[in-house]
PDB file of all heavy atoms in Angstrom:
ATOM      1  N   ALA A   1      15.652  -6.009  -7.881  1.00 60.00           N
ATOM      2  CA  ALA A   1      14.783  -6.693  -6.920  1.00 60.00           C
ATOM      3  C   ALA A   1      14.042  -5.667  -6.076  1.00 60.00           C
ATOM      4  O   ALA A   1      14.593  -4.612  -5.751  1.00 60.00           O
ATOM      5  CB  ALA A   1      15.615  -7.600  -6.022  1.00 60.00           C
ATOM      6  N   PRO A   2      12.790  -5.960  -5.746  1.00 69.00           N
ATOM      7  CA  PRO A   2      12.038  -5.014  -4.917  1.00 69.00           C
ATOM      8  C   PRO A   2      12.728  -4.783  -3.575  1.00 69.00           C
ATOM      9  O   PRO A   2      13.328  -5.697  -2.995  1.00 69.00           O
ATOM     10  CB  PRO A   2      10.684  -5.718  -4.719  1.00 69.00           C
ATOM     11  CG  PRO A   2      10.609  -6.736  -5.811  1.00 69.00           C
ATOM     12  CD  PRO A   2      12.010  -7.151  -6.099  1.00 69.00           C
ATOM     13  N   THR A   3      12.665  -3.559  -3.104  1.00 85.00           N
ATOM     14  CA  THR A   3      13.279  -3.206  -1.830  1.00 85.00           C
ATOM     15  C   THR A   3      12.420  -3.711  -0.681  1.00 85.00           C
ATOM     16  O   THR A   3      11.204  -3.573  -0.686  1.00 85.00           O
ATOM     17  CB  THR A   3      13.441  -1.684  -1.729  1.00 85.00           C
ATOM     18  OG1 THR A   3      14.194  -1.232  -2.844  1.00 85.00           O
ATOM     19  CG2 THR A   3      14.148  -1.305  -0.440  1.00 85.00           C
ATOM     20  N   SER A   4      13.081  -4.300   0.322  1.00 92.00           N
ATOM     21  CA  SER A   4      12.354  -4.772   1.493  1.00 92.00           C
ATOM     22  C   SER A   4      11.960  -3.599   2.382  1.00 92.00           C
ATOM     23  O   SER A   4      12.608  -2.546   2.393  1.00 92.00           O
ATOM     24  CB  SER A   4      13.214  -5.746   2.291  1.00 92.00           C
ATOM     25  OG  SER A   4      13.406  -6.945   1.569  1.00 92.00           O
ATOM     26  N   GLN A   5      10.882  -3.780   3.105  1.00 96.00           N
ATOM     27  CA  GLN A   5      10.417  -2.782   4.062  1.00 96.00           C
ATOM     28  C   GLN A   5       9.656  -3.485   5.165  1.00 96.00           C
ATOM     29  O   GLN A   5       9.339  -4.675   5.067  1.00 96.00           O
ATOM     30  CB  GLN A   5       9.534  -1.748   3.370  1.00 96.00           C
ATOM     31  CG  GLN A   5       8.253  -2.333   2.769  1.00 96.00           C
ATOM     32  CD  GLN A   5       7.364  -1.285   2.118  1.00 96.00           C
ATOM     33  OE1 GLN A   5       7.337  -0.142   2.553  1.00 96.00           O
ATOM     34  NE2 GLN A   5       6.651  -1.673   1.073  1.00 96.00           N
ATOM     35  N   LEU A   6       9.326  -2.750   6.206  1.00 97.00           N
ATOM     36  CA  LEU A   6       8.520  -3.310   7.284  1.00 97.00           C
ATOM     37  C   LEU A   6       7.138  -3.692   6.768  1.00 97.00           C
ATOM     38  O   LEU A   6       6.531  -2.969   5.965  1.00 97.00           O
ATOM     39  CB  LEU A   6       8.374  -2.302   8.420  1.00 97.00           C
ATOM     40  CG  LEU A   6       9.553  -2.072   9.357  1.00 97.00           C
ATOM     41  CD1 LEU A   6       9.194  -1.009  10.385  1.00 97.00           C
ATOM     42  CD2 LEU A   6       9.951  -3.370  10.050  1.00 97.00           C
ATOM     43  N   ALA A   7       6.638  -4.798   7.265  1.00 98.00           N
ATOM     44  CA  ALA A   7       5.287  -5.219   6.877  1.00 98.00           C
ATOM     45  C   ALA A   7       4.255  -4.147   7.225  1.00 98.00           C
ATOM     46  O   ALA A   7       3.285  -3.942   6.487  1.00 98.00           O
ATOM     47  CB  ALA A   7       4.943  -6.538   7.559  1.00 98.00           C
ATOM     48  N   GLY A   8       4.453  -3.471   8.353  1.00 98.00           N
ATOM     49  CA  GLY A   8       3.526  -2.403   8.724  1.00 98.00           C
ATOM     50  C   GLY A   8       3.477  -1.284   7.707  1.00 98.00           C
ATOM     51  O   GLY A   8       2.422  -0.691   7.455  1.00 98.00           O
ATOM     52  N   HIS A   9       4.608  -0.981   7.079  1.00 98.00           N
ATOM     53  CA  HIS A   9       4.644   0.035   6.028  1.00 98.00           C
ATOM     54  C   HIS A   9       3.924  -0.462   4.774  1.00 98.00           C
ATOM     55  O   HIS A   9       3.202   0.300   4.121  1.00 98.00           O
ATOM     56  CB  HIS A   9       6.099   0.383   5.703  1.00 98.00           C
ATOM     57  CG  HIS A   9       6.750   1.237   6.732  1.00 98.00           C
ATOM     58  ND1 HIS A   9       7.582   2.292   6.418  1.00 98.00           N
ATOM     59  CD2 HIS A   9       6.708   1.214   8.089  1.00 98.00           C
ATOM     60  CE1 HIS A   9       8.023   2.872   7.535  1.00 98.00           C
ATOM     61  NE2 HIS A   9       7.501   2.216   8.569  1.00 98.00           N
ATOM     62  N   LEU A  10       4.151  -1.733   4.422  1.00 98.00           N
ATOM     63  CA  LEU A  10       3.472  -2.306   3.264  1.00 98.00           C
ATOM     64  C   LEU A  10       1.959  -2.247   3.444  1.00 98.00           C
ATOM     65  O   LEU A  10       1.218  -1.951   2.495  1.00 98.00           O
ATOM     66  CB  LEU A  10       3.912  -3.756   3.055  1.00 98.00           C
ATOM     67  CG  LEU A  10       3.123  -4.555   2.007  1.00 98.00           C
ATOM     68  CD1 LEU A  10       3.272  -3.937   0.617  1.00 98.00           C
ATOM     69  CD2 LEU A  10       3.567  -6.015   2.012  1.00 98.00           C
ATOM     70  N   LEU A  11       1.477  -2.518   4.647  1.00 98.00           N
ATOM     71  CA  LEU A  11       0.044  -2.479   4.907  1.00 98.00           C
ATOM     72  C   LEU A  11      -0.531  -1.103   4.572  1.00 98.00           C
ATOM     73  O   LEU A  11      -1.589  -0.984   3.935  1.00 98.00           O
ATOM     74  CB  LEU A  11      -0.232  -2.833   6.365  1.00 98.00           C
ATOM     75  CG  LEU A  11      -1.705  -2.861   6.795  1.00 98.00           C
ATOM     76  CD1 LEU A  11      -2.478  -3.924   6.045  1.00 98.00           C
ATOM     77  CD2 LEU A  11      -1.827  -3.089   8.291  1.00 98.00           C
ATOM     78  N   VAL A  12       0.152  -0.056   4.991  1.00 98.00           N
ATOM     79  CA  VAL A  12      -0.318   1.299   4.699  1.00 98.00           C
ATOM     80  C   VAL A  12      -0.286   1.556   3.202  1.00 98.00           C
ATOM     81  O   VAL A  12      -1.212   2.162   2.639  1.00 98.00           O
ATOM     82  CB  VAL A  12       0.520   2.333   5.464  1.00 98.00           C
ATOM     83  CG1 VAL A  12       0.103   3.754   5.069  1.00 98.00           C
ATOM     84  CG2 VAL A  12       0.363   2.139   6.974  1.00 98.00           C
ATOM     85  N   GLU A  13       0.742   1.087   2.502  1.00 98.00           N
ATOM     86  CA  GLU A  13       0.801   1.255   1.052  1.00 98.00           C
ATOM     87  C   GLU A  13      -0.371   0.545   0.368  1.00 98.00           C
ATOM     88  O   GLU A  13      -0.916   1.032  -0.621  1.00 98.00           O
ATOM     89  CB  GLU A  13       2.125   0.723   0.514  1.00 98.00           C
ATOM     90  CG  GLU A  13       3.327   1.601   0.850  1.00 98.00           C
ATOM     91  CD  GLU A  13       4.593   1.136   0.148  1.00 98.00           C
ATOM     92  OE1 GLU A  13       4.547   0.077  -0.539  1.00 98.00           O
ATOM     93  OE2 GLU A  13       5.624   1.813   0.301  1.00 98.00           O
ATOM     94  N   CYS A  14      -0.761  -0.605   0.901  1.00 98.00           N
ATOM     95  CA  CYS A  14      -1.914  -1.323   0.343  1.00 98.00           C
ATOM     96  C   CYS A  14      -3.197  -0.509   0.502  1.00 98.00           C
ATOM     97  O   CYS A  14      -4.069  -0.513  -0.376  1.00 98.00           O
ATOM     98  CB  CYS A  14      -2.062  -2.687   1.006  1.00 98.00           C
ATOM     99  SG  CYS A  14      -0.781  -3.873   0.554  1.00 98.00           S
ATOM    100  N   LEU A  15      -3.339   0.191   1.632  1.00 98.00           N
ATOM    101  CA  LEU A  15      -4.512   1.049   1.824  1.00 98.00           C
ATOM    102  C   LEU A  15      -4.507   2.194   0.822  1.00 98.00           C
ATOM    103  O   LEU A  15      -5.546   2.534   0.239  1.00 98.00           O
ATOM    104  CB  LEU A  15      -4.537   1.590   3.251  1.00 98.00           C
ATOM    105  CG  LEU A  15      -4.692   0.562   4.379  1.00 98.00           C
ATOM    106  CD1 LEU A  15      -4.683   1.260   5.735  1.00 98.00           C
ATOM    107  CD2 LEU A  15      -5.970  -0.247   4.208  1.00 98.00           C
ATOM    108  N   VAL A  16      -3.363   2.797   0.616  1.00 98.00           N
ATOM    109  CA  VAL A  16      -3.257   3.876  -0.372  1.00 98.00           C
ATOM    110  C   VAL A  16      -3.638   3.359  -1.756  1.00 98.00           C
ATOM    111  O   VAL A  16      -4.349   4.033  -2.517  1.00 98.00           O
ATOM    112  CB  VAL A  16      -1.834   4.474  -0.364  1.00 98.00           C
ATOM    113  CG1 VAL A  16      -1.667   5.466  -1.511  1.00 98.00           C
ATOM    114  CG2 VAL A  16      -1.538   5.148   0.973  1.00 98.00           C
ATOM    115  N   ALA A  17      -3.186   2.149  -2.090  1.00 98.00           N
ATOM    116  CA  ALA A  17      -3.510   1.563  -3.387  1.00 98.00           C
ATOM    117  C   ALA A  17      -5.005   1.343  -3.552  1.00 98.00           C
ATOM    118  O   ALA A  17      -5.528   1.375  -4.677  1.00 98.00           O
ATOM    119  CB  ALA A  17      -2.768   0.240  -3.569  1.00 98.00           C
ATOM    120  N   GLN A  18      -5.718   1.131  -2.439  1.00 98.00           N
ATOM    121  CA  GLN A  18      -7.169   0.961  -2.487  1.00 98.00           C
ATOM    122  C   GLN A  18      -7.915   2.299  -2.466  1.00 98.00           C
ATOM    123  O   GLN A  18      -9.146   2.315  -2.422  1.00 98.00           O
ATOM    124  CB  GLN A  18      -7.642   0.081  -1.331  1.00 98.00           C
ATOM    125  CG  GLN A  18      -7.152  -1.350  -1.401  1.00 98.00           C
ATOM    126  CD  GLN A  18      -7.565  -2.049  -2.680  1.00 98.00           C
ATOM    127  OE1 GLN A  18      -8.642  -1.807  -3.218  1.00 98.00           O
ATOM    128  NE2 GLN A  18      -6.691  -2.914  -3.190  1.00 98.00           N
ATOM    129  N   GLY A  19      -7.195   3.403  -2.489  1.00 98.00           N
ATOM    130  CA  GLY A  19      -7.833   4.714  -2.537  1.00 98.00           C
ATOM    131  C   GLY A  19      -8.214   5.275  -1.194  1.00 98.00           C
ATOM    132  O   GLY A  19      -8.968   6.254  -1.121  1.00 98.00           O
ATOM    133  N   VAL A  20      -7.713   4.688  -0.113  1.00 98.00           N
ATOM    134  CA  VAL A  20      -8.055   5.165   1.231  1.00 98.00           C
ATOM    135  C   VAL A  20      -7.309   6.471   1.499  1.00 98.00           C
ATOM    136  O   VAL A  20      -6.089   6.551   1.324  1.00 98.00           O
ATOM    137  CB  VAL A  20      -7.699   4.111   2.300  1.00 98.00           C
ATOM    138  CG1 VAL A  20      -8.011   4.639   3.697  1.00 98.00           C
ATOM    139  CG2 VAL A  20      -8.459   2.817   2.032  1.00 98.00           C
ATOM    140  N   THR A  21      -8.030   7.485   1.931  1.00 98.00           N
ATOM    141  CA  THR A  21      -7.421   8.782   2.274  1.00 98.00           C
ATOM    142  C   THR A  21      -7.414   9.047   3.766  1.00 98.00           C
ATOM    143  O   THR A  21      -6.617   9.849   4.249  1.00 98.00           O
ATOM    144  CB  THR A  21      -8.158   9.930   1.574  1.00 98.00           C
ATOM    145  OG1 THR A  21      -9.543   9.924   1.990  1.00 98.00           O
ATOM    146  CG2 THR A  21      -8.072   9.785   0.053  1.00 98.00           C
ATOM    147  N   HIS A  22      -8.317   8.391   4.510  1.00 98.00           N
ATOM    148  CA  HIS A  22      -8.413   8.580   5.952  1.00 98.00           C
ATOM    149  C   HIS A  22      -8.608   7.219   6.623  1.00 98.00           C
ATOM    150  O   HIS A  22      -9.438   6.412   6.176  1.00 98.00           O
ATOM    151  CB  HIS A  22      -9.600   9.474   6.328  1.00 98.00           C
ATOM    152  CG  HIS A  22      -9.471  10.887   5.869  1.00 98.00           C
ATOM    153  ND1 HIS A  22      -9.637  11.259   4.546  1.00 98.00           N
ATOM    154  CD2 HIS A  22      -9.185  12.036   6.563  1.00 98.00           C
ATOM    155  CE1 HIS A  22      -9.482  12.572   4.446  1.00 98.00           C
ATOM    156  NE2 HIS A  22      -9.200  13.058   5.635  1.00 98.00           N
ATOM    157  N   ALA A  23      -7.856   6.973   7.668  1.00 98.00           N
ATOM    158  CA  ALA A  23      -8.071   5.807   8.524  1.00 98.00           C
ATOM    159  C   ALA A  23      -8.299   6.317   9.938  1.00 98.00           C
ATOM    160  O   ALA A  23      -7.659   7.280  10.371  1.00 98.00           O
ATOM    161  CB  ALA A  23      -6.874   4.869   8.486  1.00 98.00           C
ATOM    162  N   PHE A  24      -9.218   5.694  10.645  1.00 98.00           N
ATOM    163  CA  PHE A  24      -9.611   6.152  11.974  1.00 98.00           C
ATOM    164  C   PHE A  24      -9.187   5.106  13.008  1.00 98.00           C
ATOM    165  O   PHE A  24      -9.228   3.907  12.740  1.00 98.00           O
ATOM    166  CB  PHE A  24     -11.124   6.365  12.031  1.00 98.00           C
ATOM    167  CG  PHE A  24     -11.617   7.323  10.984  1.00 98.00           C
ATOM    168  CD1 PHE A  24     -11.991   6.868   9.729  1.00 98.00           C
ATOM    169  CD2 PHE A  24     -11.686   8.684  11.242  1.00 98.00           C
ATOM    170  CE1 PHE A  24     -12.436   7.753   8.749  1.00 98.00           C
ATOM    171  CE2 PHE A  24     -12.119   9.573  10.271  1.00 98.00           C
ATOM    172  CZ  PHE A  24     -12.497   9.111   9.017  1.00 98.00           C
ATOM    173  N   GLY A  25      -8.800   5.560  14.188  1.00 98.00           N
ATOM    174  CA  GLY A  25      -8.418   4.578  15.178  1.00 98.00           C
ATOM    175  C   GLY A  25      -7.904   5.171  16.467  1.00 98.00           C
ATOM    176  O   GLY A  25      -7.747   6.385  16.615  1.00 98.00           O
ATOM    177  N   VAL A  26      -7.680   4.274  17.413  1.00 98.00           N
ATOM    178  CA  VAL A  26      -7.016   4.599  18.673  1.00 98.00           C
ATOM    179  C   VAL A  26      -5.698   3.836  18.666  1.00 98.00           C
ATOM    180  O   VAL A  26      -5.690   2.623  18.440  1.00 98.00           O
ATOM    181  CB  VAL A  26      -7.881   4.198  19.885  1.00 98.00           C
ATOM    182  CG1 VAL A  26      -7.127   4.442  21.188  1.00 98.00           C
ATOM    183  CG2 VAL A  26      -9.198   4.971  19.872  1.00 98.00           C
ATOM    184  N   PRO A  27      -4.567   4.496  18.866  1.00 97.00           N
ATOM    185  CA  PRO A  27      -3.277   3.817  18.733  1.00 97.00           C
ATOM    186  C   PRO A  27      -3.080   2.748  19.797  1.00 97.00           C
ATOM    187  O   PRO A  27      -3.610   2.831  20.903  1.00 97.00           O
ATOM    188  CB  PRO A  27      -2.261   4.956  18.891  1.00 97.00           C
ATOM    189  CG  PRO A  27      -2.986   6.001  19.680  1.00 97.00           C
ATOM    190  CD  PRO A  27      -4.414   5.913  19.251  1.00 97.00           C
ATOM    191  N   GLY A  28      -2.313   1.724  19.429  1.00 96.00           N
ATOM    192  CA  GLY A  28      -1.990   0.661  20.366  1.00 96.00           C
ATOM    193  C   GLY A  28      -0.587   0.140  20.109  1.00 96.00           C
ATOM    194  O   GLY A  28      -0.110   0.181  18.966  1.00 96.00           O
ATOM    195  N   GLU A  29       0.056  -0.353  21.151  1.00 94.00           N
ATOM    196  CA  GLU A  29       1.421  -0.848  20.969  1.00 94.00           C
ATOM    197  C   GLU A  29       1.467  -2.076  20.085  1.00 94.00           C
ATOM    198  O   GLU A  29       2.520  -2.462  19.572  1.00 94.00           O
ATOM    199  CB  GLU A  29       2.068  -1.148  22.330  1.00 94.00           C
ATOM    200  CG  GLU A  29       1.430  -2.265  23.117  1.00 94.00           C
ATOM    201  CD  GLU A  29       0.319  -1.795  24.044  1.00 94.00           C
ATOM    202  OE1 GLU A  29      -0.285  -0.729  23.769  1.00 94.00           O
ATOM    203  OE2 GLU A  29       0.057  -2.482  25.046  1.00 94.00           O
ATOM    204  N   SER A  30       0.315  -2.707  19.867  1.00 95.00           N
ATOM    205  CA  SER A  30       0.281  -3.915  19.043  1.00 95.00           C
ATOM    206  C   SER A  30       0.467  -3.620  17.562  1.00 95.00           C
ATOM    207  O   SER A  30       0.742  -4.538  16.787  1.00 95.00           O
ATOM    208  CB  SER A  30      -1.046  -4.649  19.247  1.00 95.00           C
ATOM    209  OG  SER A  30      -2.126  -3.788  18.946  1.00 95.00           O
ATOM    210  N   TYR A  31       0.299  -2.378  17.130  1.00 97.00           N
ATOM    211  CA  TYR A  31       0.513  -2.091  15.703  1.00 97.00           C
ATOM    212  C   TYR A  31       1.360  -0.823  15.498  1.00 97.00           C
ATOM    213  O   TYR A  31       1.121  -0.021  14.610  1.00 97.00           O
ATOM    214  CB  TYR A  31      -0.815  -2.029  14.942  1.00 97.00           C
ATOM    215  CG  TYR A  31      -1.769  -0.919  15.291  1.00 97.00           C
ATOM    216  CD1 TYR A  31      -1.798   0.261  14.541  1.00 97.00           C
ATOM    217  CD2 TYR A  31      -2.693  -1.053  16.322  1.00 97.00           C
ATOM    218  CE1 TYR A  31      -2.704   1.282  14.825  1.00 97.00           C
ATOM    219  CE2 TYR A  31      -3.591  -0.049  16.614  1.00 97.00           C
ATOM    220  CZ  TYR A  31      -3.595   1.124  15.857  1.00 97.00           C
ATOM    221  OH  TYR A  31      -4.493   2.134  16.131  1.00 97.00           O
ATOM    222  N   LEU A  32       2.423  -0.703  16.290  1.00 98.00           N
ATOM    223  CA  LEU A  32       3.321   0.440  16.159  1.00 98.00           C
ATOM    224  C   LEU A  32       3.958   0.514  14.773  1.00 98.00           C
ATOM    225  O   LEU A  32       4.197   1.609  14.244  1.00 98.00           O
ATOM    226  CB  LEU A  32       4.424   0.358  17.224  1.00 98.00           C
ATOM    227  CG  LEU A  32       3.995   0.578  18.683  1.00 98.00           C
ATOM    228  CD1 LEU A  32       5.191   0.381  19.611  1.00 98.00           C
ATOM    229  CD2 LEU A  32       3.373   1.960  18.875  1.00 98.00           C
ATOM    230  N   ALA A  33       4.227  -0.629  14.168  1.00 98.00           N
ATOM    231  CA  ALA A  33       4.842  -0.626  12.840  1.00 98.00           C
ATOM    232  C   ALA A  33       3.910  -0.030  11.795  1.00 98.00           C
ATOM    233  O   ALA A  33       4.349   0.593  10.824  1.00 98.00           O
ATOM    234  CB  ALA A  33       5.240  -2.049  12.447  1.00 98.00           C
ATOM    235  N   VAL A  34       2.580  -0.209  11.979  1.00 98.00           N
ATOM    236  CA  VAL A  34       1.615   0.415  11.065  1.00 98.00           C
ATOM    237  C   VAL A  34       1.585   1.922  11.291  1.00 98.00           C
ATOM    238  O   VAL A  34       1.548   2.709  10.328  1.00 98.00           O
ATOM    239  CB  VAL A  34       0.217  -0.196  11.256  1.00 98.00           C
ATOM    240  CG1 VAL A  34      -0.799   0.502  10.345  1.00 98.00           C
ATOM    241  CG2 VAL A  34       0.243  -1.687  10.967  1.00 98.00           C
ATOM    242  N   LEU A  35       1.619   2.345  12.546  1.00 98.00           N
ATOM    243  CA  LEU A  35       1.665   3.779  12.829  1.00 98.00           C
ATOM    244  C   LEU A  35       2.899   4.419  12.196  1.00 98.00           C
ATOM    245  O   LEU A  35       2.841   5.536  11.678  1.00 98.00           O
ATOM    246  CB  LEU A  35       1.650   4.016  14.341  1.00 98.00           C
ATOM    247  CG  LEU A  35       0.365   3.625  15.078  1.00 98.00           C
ATOM    248  CD1 LEU A  35       0.540   3.788  16.583  1.00 98.00           C
ATOM    249  CD2 LEU A  35      -0.816   4.442  14.589  1.00 98.00           C
ATOM    250  N   ASP A  36       4.008   3.692  12.219  1.00 98.00           N
ATOM    251  CA  ASP A  36       5.205   4.207  11.558  1.00 98.00           C
ATOM    252  C   ASP A  36       4.996   4.289  10.046  1.00 98.00           C
ATOM    253  O   ASP A  36       5.512   5.198   9.390  1.00 98.00           O
ATOM    254  CB  ASP A  36       6.407   3.315  11.884  1.00 98.00           C
ATOM    255  CG  ASP A  36       7.717   4.012  11.579  1.00 98.00           C
ATOM    256  OD1 ASP A  36       8.002   5.056  12.204  1.00 98.00           O
ATOM    257  OD2 ASP A  36       8.454   3.536  10.675  1.00 98.00           O
ATOM    258  N   GLY A  37       4.217   3.350   9.510  1.00 98.00           N
ATOM    259  CA  GLY A  37       3.872   3.414   8.092  1.00 98.00           C
ATOM    260  C   GLY A  37       3.005   4.615   7.766  1.00 98.00           C
ATOM    261  O   GLY A  37       3.182   5.260   6.728  1.00 98.00           O
ATOM    262  N   PHE A  38       2.066   4.918   8.659  1.00 98.00           N
ATOM    263  CA  PHE A  38       1.261   6.132   8.456  1.00 98.00           C
ATOM    264  C   PHE A  38       2.149   7.382   8.485  1.00 98.00           C
ATOM    265  O   PHE A  38       1.933   8.329   7.730  1.00 98.00           O
ATOM    266  CB  PHE A  38       0.173   6.239   9.526  1.00 98.00           C
ATOM    267  CG  PHE A  38      -1.033   5.379   9.264  1.00 98.00           C
ATOM    268  CD1 PHE A  38      -1.435   4.426  10.188  1.00 98.00           C
ATOM    269  CD2 PHE A  38      -1.769   5.517   8.108  1.00 98.00           C
ATOM    270  CE1 PHE A  38      -2.547   3.630   9.967  1.00 98.00           C
ATOM    271  CE2 PHE A  38      -2.885   4.732   7.861  1.00 98.00           C
ATOM    272  CZ  PHE A  38      -3.275   3.783   8.792  1.00 98.00           C
ATOM    273  N   HIS A  39       3.147   7.365   9.351  1.00 98.00           N
ATOM    274  CA  HIS A  39       4.074   8.498   9.398  1.00 98.00           C
ATOM    275  C   HIS A  39       4.842   8.614   8.082  1.00 98.00           C
ATOM    276  O   HIS A  39       5.004   9.705   7.522  1.00 98.00           O
ATOM    277  CB  HIS A  39       5.054   8.334  10.562  1.00 98.00           C
ATOM    278  CG  HIS A  39       6.089   9.413  10.641  1.00 98.00           C
ATOM    279  ND1 HIS A  39       7.324   9.296  10.031  1.00 98.00           N
ATOM    280  CD2 HIS A  39       6.070  10.628  11.234  1.00 98.00           C
ATOM    281  CE1 HIS A  39       8.020  10.400  10.246  1.00 98.00           C
ATOM    282  NE2 HIS A  39       7.286  11.212  10.981  1.00 98.00           N
ATOM    283  N   ALA A  40       5.296   7.470   7.575  1.00 98.00           N
ATOM    284  CA  ALA A  40       6.068   7.488   6.336  1.00 98.00           C
ATOM    285  C   ALA A  40       5.241   7.962   5.140  1.00 98.00           C
ATOM    286  O   ALA A  40       5.778   8.570   4.210  1.00 98.00           O
ATOM    287  CB  ALA A  40       6.637   6.095   6.072  1.00 98.00           C
ATOM    288  N   HIS A  41       3.953   7.696   5.166  1.00 98.00           N
ATOM    289  CA  HIS A  41       3.079   8.031   4.033  1.00 98.00           C
ATOM    290  C   HIS A  41       2.061   9.109   4.405  1.00 98.00           C
ATOM    291  O   HIS A  41       0.969   9.164   3.836  1.00 98.00           O
ATOM    292  CB  HIS A  41       2.364   6.774   3.541  1.00 98.00           C
ATOM    293  CG  HIS A  41       3.296   5.718   3.032  1.00 98.00           C
ATOM    294  ND1 HIS A  41       3.953   5.818   1.826  1.00 98.00           N
ATOM    295  CD2 HIS A  41       3.704   4.538   3.586  1.00 98.00           C
ATOM    296  CE1 HIS A  41       4.710   4.751   1.639  1.00 98.00           C
ATOM    297  NE2 HIS A  41       4.580   3.953   2.699  1.00 98.00           N
ATOM    298  N   ARG A  42       2.437   9.974   5.323  1.00 97.00           N
ATOM    299  CA  ARG A  42       1.495  10.965   5.852  1.00 97.00           C
ATOM    300  C   ARG A  42       1.034  11.973   4.813  1.00 97.00           C
ATOM    301  O   ARG A  42       0.018  12.644   5.009  1.00 97.00           O
ATOM    302  CB  ARG A  42       2.100  11.690   7.056  1.00 97.00           C
ATOM    303  CG  ARG A  42       3.396  12.433   6.781  1.00 97.00           C
ATOM    304  CD  ARG A  42       4.029  12.892   8.093  1.00 97.00           C
ATOM    305  NE  ARG A  42       5.293  13.592   7.907  1.00 97.00           N
ATOM    306  CZ  ARG A  42       6.459  12.997   7.723  1.00 97.00           C
ATOM    307  NH1 ARG A  42       6.530  11.663   7.687  1.00 97.00           N
ATOM    308  NH2 ARG A  42       7.565  13.706   7.572  1.00 97.00           N
ATOM    309  N   GLU A  43       1.741  12.098   3.703  1.00 97.00           N
ATOM    310  CA  GLU A  43       1.304  13.008   2.646  1.00 97.00           C
ATOM    311  C   GLU A  43       0.204  12.401   1.786  1.00 97.00           C
ATOM    312  O   GLU A  43      -0.451  13.097   1.025  1.00 97.00           O
ATOM    313  CB  GLU A  43       2.495  13.400   1.757  1.00 97.00           C
ATOM    314  CG  GLU A  43       3.636  14.081   2.496  1.00 97.00           C
ATOM    315  CD  GLU A  43       3.181  15.358   3.194  1.00 97.00           C
ATOM    316  OE1 GLU A  43       2.339  16.071   2.621  1.00 97.00           O
ATOM    317  OE2 GLU A  43       3.666  15.623   4.311  1.00 97.00           O
TER     318      GLU A  43
END
């Protein structure tokens, strides 16, 4: 069975799947889970 993960991490994986190499932004507490996803996939 597929391993569960935070939705914020999945979102970042979806961007990688679309070929995104750079995302631009100003951080906010409303999407900390996505920032953690960027950390997990920082390579």
Side-chain angles (χ1 to χ4, degrees):
T3 304
S4 292
Q5 63 178 329
L6 284 179
H9 285 221
L10 171 62
L11 181 63
V12 175
E13 288 187 356
C14 289
L15 296 179
V16 173
Q18 294 302 326
V20 178
T21 60
H22 294 75
F24 304 89
V26 175
E29 65 270 25
S30 57
Y31 65 96
L32 291 177
V34 177
L35 294 175
D36 197 62
F38 280 122
H39 177 268
H41 298 286
R42 59 190 179 279
E43 301 301 323

